[in-house]
Amino acid sequence: QQPVQSPQAVILREGEDAVINCSSSKALYSVHWYRQKHGEAPVFLMILLKGGEQKGHEKISASFNEKKQQSSLYLTASQLSYSGTYFCGTETTEQLTFGKGTKLSVIP
Amino acid sequence: NAGVTQTPKFQVLKTGQSMTLQCAQDMNHNSMYWYRQDPGMGLRLIYYSASEGTTDKGEVPNGYNVSRLNKREFSLRLESAAPSQTSVYFCASSPTLAGGGQETQYFGPGTRLLVL
């Protein structure tokens, strides 16, 4: 079953922060986050393992609440290069299922 | 390392025509996947191959067939293309199958297919 992402789209000015949420109704092994720029392939950002782990990549970090089967991606002090569509992928037995994506636009 | 490569990059077909999308990876990964991406739908799994010699259906397998030719190559065939199969197709690979955690998937550049 496809995880639910929110919001569907967000527009930020450079330097602003954003949070993208991902939730699943199934018990998860992990949550993956990918970013896809227009016309390109999705690119892996980070993986969160069950255990309430939080990770960071530059000014992008994420958390995973395994009790709620929810993950959040935090983008701080956004840059123009952060623009793109962000997908969460939820990992269950033998499957990685992607959400519909959140389109992030960063404007000057 | 080229990573995951796909051919062709673009293709236009007429309804009823057949074609094969090719995918190859040079990372010695065991598992390979085919996704389609449609506007507003995210990435949907068509077929996957846990290891050489095995293939399984994903979420949207109807109208497609796959072949895991060897460890490196995984092809997707449309036997009789339909306009509903107009999409962007991505191939991906991972060290092993999802389910044990930590299985990052690496994506190819995609094939843009238009069926008229």
Side-chain angles (χ1 to χ4, degrees):
Chain A
Q1 190 173 2
Q2 202 170 24
V4 178
Q5 285 187 236
S6 63
Q8 291 183 331
V10 59
I11 300 174
L12 297 176
R13 292 197 177 276
E14 272 187 295
E16 291 183 338
D17 302 340
V19 179
I20 299 172
N21 299 303
C22 174
S23 64
S24 173
S25 59
K26 294 189 172 183
L28 303 176
Y29 283 109
S30 66
V31 177
H32 302 220
W33 285 97
Y34 289 76
R35 177 171 63 203
Q36 183 180 30
K37 293 188 177 287
H38 183 68
E40 299 180 5
V43 174
F44 172 77
L45 289 176
M46 66 186 76
I47 184 171
L48 287 302
L49 305 179
K50 61 183 180 180
E53 179 175 18
Q54 186 155 353
K55 278 197 168 184
H57 174 72
E58 298 178 345
K59 293 182 180 178
I60 301 174
S61 62
S63 62
F64 175 31
N65 185 327
E66 72 175 280
K67 289 184 180 179
K68 294 184 177 181
Q69 308 304 331
Q70 293 176 350
S71 179
S72 295
L73 185 71
Y74 308 95
L75 300 100
T76 58
S78 59
Q79 307 169 14
L80 294 175
S81 61
Y82 287 2
S83 292
T85 300
Y86 290 77
F87 293 97
C88 71
T90 52
E91 185 180 2
T92 59
T93 304
E94 295 190 348
Q95 288 285 354
L96 181 67
T97 306
F98 290 93
K100 294 184 178 182
T102 296
K103 185 175 182 179
L104 178 72
S105 301
V106 181
I107 59 176
Chain B
N1 285 349
V4 180
T5 57
Q6 292 182 236
T7 56
K9 291 184 179 180
F10 303 96
Q11 185 71 47
V12 179
L13 291 178
K14 294 181 180 179
T15 296
Q17 288 184 318
S18 62
M19 78 162 296
T20 300
L21 282 65
Q22 305 286 353
C23 173
Q25 53 91 9
D26 62 2
M27 295 176 282
N28 201 36
H29 286 170
N30 287 305
S31 302
M32 299 184 74
Y33 313 82
W34 277 106
Y35 293 91
R36 61 177 289 172
Q37 185 175 38
D38 303 296
M41 298 298 291
L43 292 155
R44 293 185 293 170
L45 184 64
I46 305 172
Y47 271 93
Y48 65 99
S49 171
S51 60
E52 186 178 354
T54 69
T55 60
D56 283 289
K57 295 179 180 180
E59 179 186 356
V60 289
N62 291 345
Y64 305 96
N65 284 301
V66 291
S67 295
R68 184 72 183 269
L69 304 171
N70 47 55
K71 190 172 185 178
R72 290 186 63 249
E73 299 173 289
F74 189 36
S75 63
L76 178 71
R77 183 161 177 84
L78 287 71
E79 292 290 352
S80 180
S84 61
Q85 294 178 304
T86 293
S87 188
V88 181
Y89 292 86
F90 286 102
C91 177
S93 71
S94 64
T96 58
L97 196 64
Q102 304 189 54
E103 292 304 342
T104 300
Q105 292 190 10
Y106 298 85
F107 286 82
T111 294
R112 284 151 183 78
L113 176 66
L114 173 63
V115 183
L116 301 173

